[in-house]
Amino acid sequence: MKRLRLLSPAKLNLLLKVNFKRPDGYHDLTTLFERIDLCDELFFERTKDGRITIDCQHPHVPRGPGNLVYKAAALLQDKFGICQGVRINLKKNIPVAAGLGGGSGNAAATLLGLNQLWKLGLSKAQLMTLGRTMGSDVPFFIAQSSWAVGTQRGDQIQSLSLKTKLWHVLVVPRLKVHTKDVFGAFLASKKSTTGARTKMLTKPKVNVNILIHVLRKNDVPRIGTLLSNDLETAIVKLHPQLSKLKEKIEKLDIGGVCFSGSGPSVFCVVRSQKQARAVAQSLRRMYARVFVVRTY
Ligand code: C5P
């Protein structure tokens, strides 16, 4: 095989609980990932010159070593002494730095793709070990499952065998939000409210198992009521205009509305494609980037 095409999907976090800050600076969390059908596309072509070349038309995506796709390829070359090269064409459809895991998904797709193209024979567990050094969300995309629970840094993945497919409307404001800044603001707000540096950061327990149970029953109205993201206050603190966006969607009276990951993307759960299209149409009058997406 000389060429390969892979889709690189995005994700939503239906639930994100931040438990405590770990000694390594990361936060221990519990999250419920959903893979959605908003996808980037990657085309791989094996070359003999050992070089990694990235083609990408997106103005905010670097083509050199700063790109996670480049990093993933270079990591495999270094680790396994690979002399082959690769030309990768990355077609971006997922908004960048939007809490949708686009870059992490691209890194995962590159690990999965080059494992085939360079015939490395690595297991998913081995690819996950490499992937988590590039980002906490990368192992979820290596799992290639529609639904999963992420624990620890969000990088320990338990795939769920759920048949449920949900429809969503997703609004992505033109703001770049950096995960590190959001966790920084989260920590600062906890310190100012508790006054204790080392205190546990948990809210009253929201049990991810309840959400999984309700997902299994495909109880859309209840799913909406169980969406939650502990980073919301920090996201809104950094970008106060985002609370208006969430309020506007809430006013449409369609059940739960939630930020995905570290934001700024906001999504809701709707009953059907028809309802999703109607909601999207009304939101497009106010926002440029509105997507109808489904579990993938
Ligand atoms: O792992 P990732 O590259 O996505 O993380 C970006 C930043 O987000 C980290 O450097 C860290 O500041 C913060 N983070 C965290 N706890 C996590 C995941 C990310 O504090 N579980």
Side-chain angles (χ1 to χ4, degrees), residues 216-229:
R216 194 158 271 142
K217 292 196 343 196
N218 209 11
D219 185 346
V220 171
R222 268 213 78 200
I223 294 167
T225 65
L226 292 172
L227 303 176
S228 78
N229 186 334

Side-chain angles (χ1 to χ4, degrees), residues 25-27 29 135-136 153 179-180 183:
Y26 282 87
H27 291 77
L29 49 87
S136 307
R153 275 171 52 197
T179 310
K180 200 180 169 72
F183 275 101

Side-chain angles (χ1 to χ4, degrees), residues 137-158:
D137 288 340
V138 179
F140 167 66
F141 292 106
I142 289 173
Q144 293 180 296
S145 47
S146 302
W147 299 97
V149 175
T151 51
Q152 298 186 26
R153 275 171 52 197
D155 62 330
Q156 298 299 322
I157 299 301
Q158 188 201 338

Side-chain angles (χ1 to χ4, degrees), residues 46-62:
R46 187 154 44 92
T47 60
K48 290 192 178 137
D49 59 7
R51 282 172 45 193
I52 300 164
T53 313
I54 314 278
D55 299 318
C56 182
Q57 299 300 318
H58 194 290
H60 299 125
V61 174

Side-chain angles (χ1 to χ4, degrees), residues 11-18 29-32 98-99 182-183 186 190 203 206 211 224-236 246 257-267:
K11 58 85 185 170
L12 297 176
N13 303 85
L14 268 56
L15 176 143
L16 198 160
K17 299 307 295 171
V18 182
L29 49 87
T30 306
T31 188
L32 197 131
V182 173
F183 275 101
F186 174 83
K190 289 295 145 190
K203 303 251 173 78
V206 169
L211 180 54
T225 65
L226 292 172
L227 303 176
S228 78
N229 186 334
D230 277 359
L231 295 175
E232 174 169 336
T233 312
I235 296 166
V236 170
K246 194 170 172 242
V257 181
C258 194
F259 284 97
S260 181
S262 52
S265 300
V266 182
F267 68 94

